[in-house]
PDB file of all heavy atoms in Angstrom:
ATOM      1  N   GLU S   1      -9.882  -3.555 -18.226  1.00  0.00           N
ATOM      2  CA  GLU S   1      -9.392  -4.493 -17.226  1.00  0.00           C
ATOM      3  C   GLU S   1      -9.512  -3.905 -15.839  1.00  0.00           C
ATOM      4  O   GLU S   1      -9.804  -4.642 -14.875  1.00  0.00           O
ATOM      5  CB  GLU S   1      -7.928  -4.816 -17.534  1.00  0.00           C
ATOM      6  CG  GLU S   1      -7.716  -5.575 -18.818  1.00  0.00           C
ATOM      7  CD  GLU S   1      -6.265  -5.902 -19.042  1.00  0.00           C
ATOM      8  OE1 GLU S   1      -5.484  -5.785 -18.087  1.00  0.00           O
ATOM      9  OE2 GLU S   1      -5.879  -6.278 -20.162  1.00  0.00           O
ATOM     10  N   ILE S   2      -9.323  -2.594 -15.676  1.00  0.00           N
ATOM     11  CA  ILE S   2      -9.456  -1.950 -14.345  1.00  0.00           C
ATOM     12  C   ILE S   2     -10.846  -2.101 -13.803  1.00  0.00           C
ATOM     13  O   ILE S   2     -11.064  -2.292 -12.631  1.00  0.00           O
ATOM     14  CB  ILE S   2      -9.079  -0.461 -14.483  1.00  0.00           C
ATOM     15  CG1 ILE S   2      -7.589  -0.320 -14.779  1.00  0.00           C
ATOM     16  CG2 ILE S   2      -9.443   0.308 -13.201  1.00  0.00           C
ATOM     17  CD1 ILE S   2      -7.152   1.067 -15.147  1.00  0.00           C
ATOM     18  N   ALA S   3     -11.851  -2.048 -14.678  1.00  0.00           N
ATOM     19  CA  ALA S   3     -13.227  -2.138 -14.247  1.00  0.00           C
ATOM     20  C   ALA S   3     -13.504  -3.470 -13.568  1.00  0.00           C
ATOM     21  O   ALA S   3     -14.430  -3.586 -12.777  1.00  0.00           O
ATOM     22  CB  ALA S   3     -14.172  -1.945 -15.435  1.00  0.00           C
ATOM     23  N   LEU S   4     -12.686  -4.501 -13.851  1.00  0.00           N
ATOM     24  CA  LEU S   4     -12.921  -5.783 -13.270  1.00  0.00           C
ATOM     25  C   LEU S   4     -12.437  -5.842 -11.807  1.00  0.00           C
ATOM     26  O   LEU S   4     -13.074  -6.433 -10.958  1.00  0.00           O
ATOM     27  CB  LEU S   4     -12.236  -6.861 -14.073  1.00  0.00           C
ATOM     28  CG  LEU S   4     -12.676  -6.953 -15.545  1.00  0.00           C
ATOM     29  CD1 LEU S   4     -11.867  -8.035 -16.286  1.00  0.00           C
ATOM     30  CD2 LEU S   4     -14.163  -7.267 -15.621  1.00  0.00           C
ATOM     31  N   SER S   5     -11.222  -5.239 -11.540  1.00  0.00           N
ATOM     32  CA  SER S   5     -10.691  -5.327 -10.204  1.00  0.00           C
ATOM     33  C   SER S   5      -9.534  -4.330 -10.074  1.00  0.00           C
ATOM     34  O   SER S   5      -8.803  -4.064 -10.995  1.00  0.00           O
ATOM     35  CB  SER S   5     -10.191  -6.732  -9.908  1.00  0.00           C
ATOM     36  OG  SER S   5      -9.562  -6.782  -8.639  1.00  0.00           O
ATOM     37  N   PHE S   6      -9.350  -3.806  -8.819  1.00  0.00           N
ATOM     38  CA  PHE S   6      -8.204  -2.971  -8.497  1.00  0.00           C
ATOM     39  C   PHE S   6      -7.029  -3.828  -8.034  1.00  0.00           C
ATOM     40  O   PHE S   6      -5.953  -3.295  -7.748  1.00  0.00           O
ATOM     41  CB  PHE S   6      -8.537  -1.994  -7.376  1.00  0.00           C
ATOM     42  CG  PHE S   6      -9.501  -0.921  -7.758  1.00  0.00           C
ATOM     43  CD1 PHE S   6     -10.679  -0.728  -7.040  1.00  0.00           C
ATOM     44  CD2 PHE S   6      -9.252  -0.069  -8.814  1.00  0.00           C
ATOM     45  CE1 PHE S   6     -11.575   0.259  -7.381  1.00  0.00           C
ATOM     46  CE2 PHE S   6     -10.127   0.927  -9.174  1.00  0.00           C
ATOM     47  CZ  PHE S   6     -11.293   1.089  -8.465  1.00  0.00           C
ATOM     48  N   ALA S   7      -7.237  -5.118  -7.921  1.00  0.00           N
ATOM     49  CA  ALA S   7      -6.206  -5.999  -7.319  1.00  0.00           C
ATOM     50  C   ALA S   7      -4.831  -5.887  -7.943  1.00  0.00           C
ATOM     51  O   ALA S   7      -3.838  -5.841  -7.221  1.00  0.00           O
ATOM     52  CB  ALA S   7      -6.696  -7.471  -7.365  1.00  0.00           C
ATOM     53  N   PRO S   8      -4.698  -5.825  -9.281  1.00  0.00           N
ATOM     54  CA  PRO S   8      -3.340  -5.711  -9.841  1.00  0.00           C
ATOM     55  C   PRO S   8      -2.617  -4.428  -9.415  1.00  0.00           C
ATOM     56  O   PRO S   8      -1.419  -4.439  -9.160  1.00  0.00           O
ATOM     57  CB  PRO S   8      -3.597  -5.700 -11.357  1.00  0.00           C
ATOM     58  CG  PRO S   8      -4.909  -6.391 -11.527  1.00  0.00           C
ATOM     59  CD  PRO S   8      -5.708  -5.981 -10.357  1.00  0.00           C
ATOM     60  N   VAL S   9      -3.362  -3.322  -9.305  1.00  0.00           N
ATOM     61  CA  VAL S   9      -2.730  -2.075  -8.839  1.00  0.00           C
ATOM     62  C   VAL S   9      -2.329  -2.199  -7.393  1.00  0.00           C
ATOM     63  O   VAL S   9      -1.224  -1.777  -7.007  1.00  0.00           O
ATOM     64  CB  VAL S   9      -3.725  -0.894  -9.015  1.00  0.00           C
ATOM     65  CG1 VAL S   9      -3.081   0.413  -8.595  1.00  0.00           C
ATOM     66  CG2 VAL S   9      -4.215  -0.793 -10.468  1.00  0.00           C
ATOM     67  N   VAL S  10      -3.203  -2.771  -6.562  1.00  0.00           N
ATOM     68  CA  VAL S  10      -2.908  -2.921  -5.150  1.00  0.00           C
ATOM     69  C   VAL S  10      -1.697  -3.805  -4.956  1.00  0.00           C
ATOM     70  O   VAL S  10      -0.801  -3.493  -4.157  1.00  0.00           O
ATOM     71  CB  VAL S  10      -4.127  -3.523  -4.408  1.00  0.00           C
ATOM     72  CG1 VAL S  10      -3.766  -3.882  -2.986  1.00  0.00           C
ATOM     73  CG2 VAL S  10      -5.323  -2.565  -4.456  1.00  0.00           C
ATOM     74  N   GLN S  11      -1.600  -4.891  -5.721  1.00  0.00           N
ATOM     75  CA  GLN S  11      -0.449  -5.803  -5.579  1.00  0.00           C
ATOM     76  C   GLN S  11       0.849  -5.148  -5.976  1.00  0.00           C
ATOM     77  O   GLN S  11       1.916  -5.478  -5.424  1.00  0.00           O
ATOM     78  CB  GLN S  11      -0.695  -7.062  -6.435  1.00  0.00           C
ATOM     79  CG  GLN S  11      -1.791  -7.974  -5.892  1.00  0.00           C
ATOM     80  CD  GLN S  11      -2.172  -9.072  -6.819  1.00  0.00           C
ATOM     81  OE1 GLN S  11      -1.420  -9.354  -7.783  1.00  0.00           O
ATOM     82  NE2 GLN S  11      -3.286  -9.725  -6.592  1.00  0.00           N
ATOM     83  N   ARG S  12       0.776  -4.204  -6.860  1.00  0.00           N
ATOM     84  CA  ARG S  12       1.991  -3.486  -7.260  1.00  0.00           C
ATOM     85  C   ARG S  12       2.373  -2.415  -6.244  1.00  0.00           C
ATOM     86  O   ARG S  12       3.556  -2.231  -5.964  1.00  0.00           O
ATOM     87  CB  ARG S  12       1.790  -2.842  -8.636  1.00  0.00           C
ATOM     88  CG  ARG S  12       2.988  -2.006  -9.075  1.00  0.00           C
ATOM     89  CD  ARG S  12       2.835  -1.513 -10.488  1.00  0.00           C
ATOM     90  NE  ARG S  12       3.965  -0.681 -10.885  1.00  0.00           N
ATOM     91  CZ  ARG S  12       4.164  -0.210 -12.107  1.00  0.00           C
ATOM     92  NH1 ARG S  12       3.275  -0.465 -13.061  1.00  0.00           N
ATOM     93  NH2 ARG S  12       5.206   0.541 -12.367  1.00  0.00           N
ATOM     94  N   ALA S  13       1.398  -1.691  -5.698  1.00  0.00           N
ATOM     95  CA  ALA S  13       1.680  -0.544  -4.868  1.00  0.00           C
ATOM     96  C   ALA S  13       1.918  -0.857  -3.394  1.00  0.00           C
ATOM     97  O   ALA S  13       2.779  -0.228  -2.748  1.00  0.00           O
ATOM     98  CB  ALA S  13       0.552   0.487  -5.000  1.00  0.00           C
ATOM     99  N   THR S  14       1.152  -1.796  -2.839  1.00  0.00           N
ATOM    100  CA  THR S  14       1.216  -2.005  -1.375  1.00  0.00           C
ATOM    101  C   THR S  14       2.570  -2.415  -0.836  1.00  0.00           C
ATOM    102  O   THR S  14       2.889  -2.034   0.306  1.00  0.00           O
ATOM    103  CB  THR S  14       0.153  -3.018  -0.920  1.00  0.00           C
ATOM    104  OG1 THR S  14       0.265  -4.207  -1.701  1.00  0.00           O
ATOM    105  CG2 THR S  14      -1.234  -2.437  -1.039  1.00  0.00           C
ATOM    106  N   PRO S  15       3.390  -3.164  -1.536  1.00  0.00           N
ATOM    107  CA  PRO S  15       4.724  -3.494  -0.966  1.00  0.00           C
ATOM    108  C   PRO S  15       5.565  -2.286  -0.651  1.00  0.00           C
ATOM    109  O   PRO S  15       6.469  -2.351   0.206  1.00  0.00           O
ATOM    110  CB  PRO S  15       5.362  -4.380  -2.044  1.00  0.00           C
ATOM    111  CG  PRO S  15       4.210  -4.962  -2.793  1.00  0.00           C
ATOM    112  CD  PRO S  15       3.172  -3.898  -2.816  1.00  0.00           C
ATOM    113  N   ALA S  16       5.326  -1.128  -1.325  1.00  0.00           N
ATOM    114  CA  ALA S  16       6.137   0.043  -1.125  1.00  0.00           C
ATOM    115  C   ALA S  16       5.526   1.003  -0.102  1.00  0.00           C
ATOM    116  O   ALA S  16       6.098   2.059   0.165  1.00  0.00           O
ATOM    117  CB  ALA S  16       6.318   0.787  -2.455  1.00  0.00           C
ATOM    118  N   VAL S  17       4.390   0.660   0.493  1.00  0.00           N
ATOM    119  CA  VAL S  17       3.767   1.467   1.540  1.00  0.00           C
ATOM    120  C   VAL S  17       4.061   0.842   2.873  1.00  0.00           C
ATOM    121  O   VAL S  17       3.827  -0.369   3.068  1.00  0.00           O
ATOM    122  CB  VAL S  17       2.248   1.612   1.320  1.00  0.00           C
ATOM    123  CG1 VAL S  17       1.629   2.512   2.396  1.00  0.00           C
ATOM    124  CG2 VAL S  17       1.973   2.238  -0.071  1.00  0.00           C
ATOM    125  N   VAL S  18       4.603   1.631   3.798  1.00  0.00           N
ATOM    126  CA  VAL S  18       5.080   1.090   5.080  1.00  0.00           C
ATOM    127  C   VAL S  18       4.303   1.661   6.254  1.00  0.00           C
ATOM    128  O   VAL S  18       3.666   2.728   6.140  1.00  0.00           O
ATOM    129  CB  VAL S  18       6.572   1.365   5.249  1.00  0.00           C
ATOM    130  CG1 VAL S  18       7.379   0.740   4.137  1.00  0.00           C
ATOM    131  CG2 VAL S  18       6.843   2.883   5.318  1.00  0.00           C
ATOM    132  N   ASN S  19       4.369   0.963   7.376  1.00  0.00           N
ATOM    133  CA  ASN S  19       3.835   1.476   8.649  1.00  0.00           C
ATOM    134  C   ASN S  19       4.988   2.076   9.425  1.00  0.00           C
ATOM    135  O   ASN S  19       6.094   1.512   9.463  1.00  0.00           O
ATOM    136  CB  ASN S  19       3.191   0.369   9.461  1.00  0.00           C
ATOM    137  CG  ASN S  19       2.005  -0.238   8.734  1.00  0.00           C
ATOM    138  OD1 ASN S  19       1.382   0.389   7.896  1.00  0.00           O
ATOM    139  ND2 ASN S  19       1.689  -1.478   9.066  1.00  0.00           N
ATOM    140  N   ILE S  20       4.741   3.229  10.074  1.00  0.00           N
ATOM    141  CA  ILE S  20       5.781   3.936  10.825  1.00  0.00           C
ATOM    142  C   ILE S  20       5.350   4.077  12.271  1.00  0.00           C
ATOM    143  O   ILE S  20       4.253   4.585  12.557  1.00  0.00           O
ATOM    144  CB  ILE S  20       6.081   5.308  10.188  1.00  0.00           C
ATOM    145  CG1 ILE S  20       6.624   5.134   8.785  1.00  0.00           C
ATOM    146  CG2 ILE S  20       7.087   6.072  11.076  1.00  0.00           C
ATOM    147  CD1 ILE S  20       6.923   6.459   8.069  1.00  0.00           C
ATOM    148  N   TYR S  21       6.245   3.666  13.190  1.00  0.00           N
ATOM    149  CA  TYR S  21       6.019   3.811  14.617  1.00  0.00           C
ATOM    150  C   TYR S  21       7.103   4.731  15.146  1.00  0.00           C
ATOM    151  O   TYR S  21       8.286   4.403  15.082  1.00  0.00           O
ATOM    152  CB  TYR S  21       6.060   2.472  15.286  1.00  0.00           C
ATOM    153  CG  TYR S  21       5.059   1.477  14.736  1.00  0.00           C
ATOM    154  CD1 TYR S  21       5.352   0.665  13.656  1.00  0.00           C
ATOM    155  CD2 TYR S  21       3.787   1.388  15.319  1.00  0.00           C
ATOM    156  CE1 TYR S  21       4.431  -0.239  13.145  1.00  0.00           C
ATOM    157  CE2 TYR S  21       2.855   0.494  14.816  1.00  0.00           C
ATOM    158  CZ  TYR S  21       3.166  -0.302  13.709  1.00  0.00           C
ATOM    159  OH  TYR S  21       2.250  -1.188  13.201  1.00  0.00           O
ATOM    160  N   ALA S  22       6.720   5.928  15.631  1.00  0.00           N
ATOM    161  CA  ALA S  22       7.672   6.921  16.100  1.00  0.00           C
ATOM    162  C   ALA S  22       7.495   7.148  17.603  1.00  0.00           C
ATOM    163  O   ALA S  22       6.395   7.167  18.106  1.00  0.00           O
ATOM    164  CB  ALA S  22       7.495   8.245  15.333  1.00  0.00           C
ATOM    165  N   THR S  23       8.621   7.320  18.282  1.00  0.00           N
ATOM    166  CA  THR S  23       8.625   7.553  19.736  1.00  0.00           C
ATOM    167  C   THR S  23       9.377   8.810  20.038  1.00  0.00           C
ATOM    168  O   THR S  23      10.469   9.036  19.517  1.00  0.00           O
ATOM    169  CB  THR S  23       9.287   6.364  20.471  1.00  0.00           C
ATOM    170  OG1 THR S  23       8.590   5.160  20.133  1.00  0.00           O
ATOM    171  CG2 THR S  23       9.244   6.571  21.970  1.00  0.00           C
ATOM    172  N   ARG S  24       8.769   9.657  20.905  1.00  0.00           N
ATOM    173  CA  ARG S  24       9.419  10.887  21.342  1.00  0.00           C
ATOM    174  C   ARG S  24       9.469  10.903  22.890  1.00  0.00           C
ATOM    175  O   ARG S  24       8.536  10.406  23.533  1.00  0.00           O
ATOM    176  CB  ARG S  24       8.658  12.107  20.881  1.00  0.00           C
ATOM    177  CG  ARG S  24       8.446  12.242  19.402  1.00  0.00           C
ATOM    178  CD  ARG S  24       7.505  13.371  19.043  1.00  0.00           C
ATOM    179  NE  ARG S  24       7.271  13.472  17.610  1.00  0.00           N
ATOM    180  CZ  ARG S  24       6.365  12.761  16.966  1.00  0.00           C
ATOM    181  NH1 ARG S  24       5.594  11.900  17.630  1.00  0.00           N
ATOM    182  NH2 ARG S  24       6.180  12.914  15.652  1.00  0.00           N
ATOM    183  N   ILE S  25      10.519  11.460  23.430  1.00  0.00           N
ATOM    184  CA  ILE S  25      10.603  11.682  24.872  1.00  0.00           C
ATOM    185  C   ILE S  25      10.359  13.144  25.114  1.00  0.00           C
ATOM    186  O   ILE S  25      11.124  14.014  24.640  1.00  0.00           O
ATOM    187  CB  ILE S  25      11.991  11.294  25.409  1.00  0.00           C
ATOM    188  CG1 ILE S  25      12.353   9.853  25.036  1.00  0.00           C
ATOM    189  CG2 ILE S  25      12.001  11.464  26.938  1.00  0.00           C
ATOM    190  CD1 ILE S  25      11.383   8.819  25.576  1.00  0.00           C
TER     191      ILE S  25
END
């Protein structure tokens, strides 16, 4: 099934990956 598409893995993992914006003075 994996050989057909990575989409199921991506749909499971991407919601838990975040973008971080950090600011320093």
Side-chain angles (χ1 to χ4, degrees):
E1 294 182 15
I2 291 170
L4 301 178
S5 176
F6 291 124
V9 182
V10 172
Q11 291 172 13
R12 176 174 179 174
T14 51
V17 181
V18 300
N19 298 336
I20 297 179
Y21 302 88
T23 302
R24 303 172 182 83
I25 306 298

